[in-house]
């Protein structure tokens, strides 16, 4: 489910199963794509189960809220800030669980299986608070200074 370029996407209390397509750019379960400023954009209280690729993606979107979501056995990364230019998003009180790290650590989008985790964050100007992550090889994976200008 993707929102592109403008508008508002507010998804609350939905269950998404078997979503996403492995190694297909942009084929994620919940995805804001280049929405820009979007203080009314919300992913809240959703359950994402057994996805083939990233559960929640924030790409070129700012001031959005990702809160109270539960992600189970989401491959590659649970929550992904894609390019590094995403700013002032609030990612809080989410639960991201992998039943075994071998289930969720998969190669994706040119990244090897070791470059994933509960949260994969390129953009460091977002607020992460009170999230719970278990079972992933990496809780929080960030390439850090490898992409000082972002990836986009």
């Amino acid at each position: 489910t993707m929102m592109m370029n403008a508008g508002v996407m507010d998804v609350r209390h939905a269950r998404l199963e078997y979503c996403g397509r492995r190694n297909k750019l942009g084929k994620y379960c919940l995805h804001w794509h280049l929405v820009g400023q979007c203080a009314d954009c919300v992913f809240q209280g959703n359950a994402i189960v057994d996805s083939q690729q990233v559960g929640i993606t924030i790409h070129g979107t700012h001031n959005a809220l990702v809160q109270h979501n539960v992600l189970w056995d989401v491959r590659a990364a649970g929550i992904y800030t894609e390019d590094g230019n995403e700013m002032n998003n609030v990612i809080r009180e989410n639960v991201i669980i992998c039943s075994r790290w071998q289930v969720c650590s998969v190669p994706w989008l040119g990244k090897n299986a070791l470059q994933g985790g509960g949260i994969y964050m390129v953009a460091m100007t977002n607020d992460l608070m009170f999230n719970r992550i278990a079972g992933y090889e990496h809780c929080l994976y960030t390439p850090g200074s490898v992409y000082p200008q972002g990836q986009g």
Side-chain angles (χ1 to χ4, degrees):
T1 307
M2 178 169 48
M3 174 73 181
M4 291 182 64
N5 301 322
V8 172
M9 184 176 184
D10 186 327
V11 180
R12 298 176 198 232
H13 309 291
R15 180 180 172 115
L16 294 88
E17 298 176 322
Y18 312 110
C19 49
R21 290 184 60 200
R22 182 90 47 87
N23 273 333
K24 296 291 182 187
L25 186 63
K27 302 297 183 184
Y28 316 119
C29 295
L30 292 173
H31 182 186
W32 288 308
H33 181 78
L34 304 177
V35 176
Q37 300 290 333
C38 194
D40 294 325
C41 285
V42 177
F43 292 149
Q44 186 175 55
N46 301 295
I48 301 173
V49 180
D50 287 321
S51 79
Q52 289 302 305
Q53 190 160 247
V54 177
I56 296 174
T57 299
I58 305 168
H59 179 198
T61 302
H62 319 290
N63 300 306
L65 175 65
V66 177
Q67 182 179 35
H68 296 155
N69 299 286
V70 176
L71 291 81
W72 174 266
D73 279 350
V74 172
R75 274 57 168 195
I79 299 174
Y80 177 38
T81 60
E82 191 166 341
D83 278 346
N85 64 353
E86 298 82 15
M87 297 176 63
N88 304 317
N89 298 293
V90 175
I91 302 168
R92 65 178 291 145
E93 298 169 326
N94 299 285
V95 177
I96 308 167
I97 301 170
C98 187
S99 58
R100 292 173 304 139
W101 71 266
Q102 297 92 333
V103 170
C104 299
S105 293
V106 297
W108 59 296
L109 302 179
K111 298 168 180 59
N112 67 42
L114 298 177
Q115 292 177 294
I119 298 175
Y120 182 104
M121 179 161 278
V122 179
M124 303 309 285
T125 53
N126 295 289
D127 295 324
L128 275 74
M129 297 172 285
F130 314 114
N131 297 287
R132 303 292 189 259
I133 302 169
Y136 281 85
E137 190 168 12
H138 303 289
C139 173
L140 172 66
Y141 183 92
T142 178
S145 63
V146 173
Y147 301 110
Q149 304 302 314
Q151 295 182 117

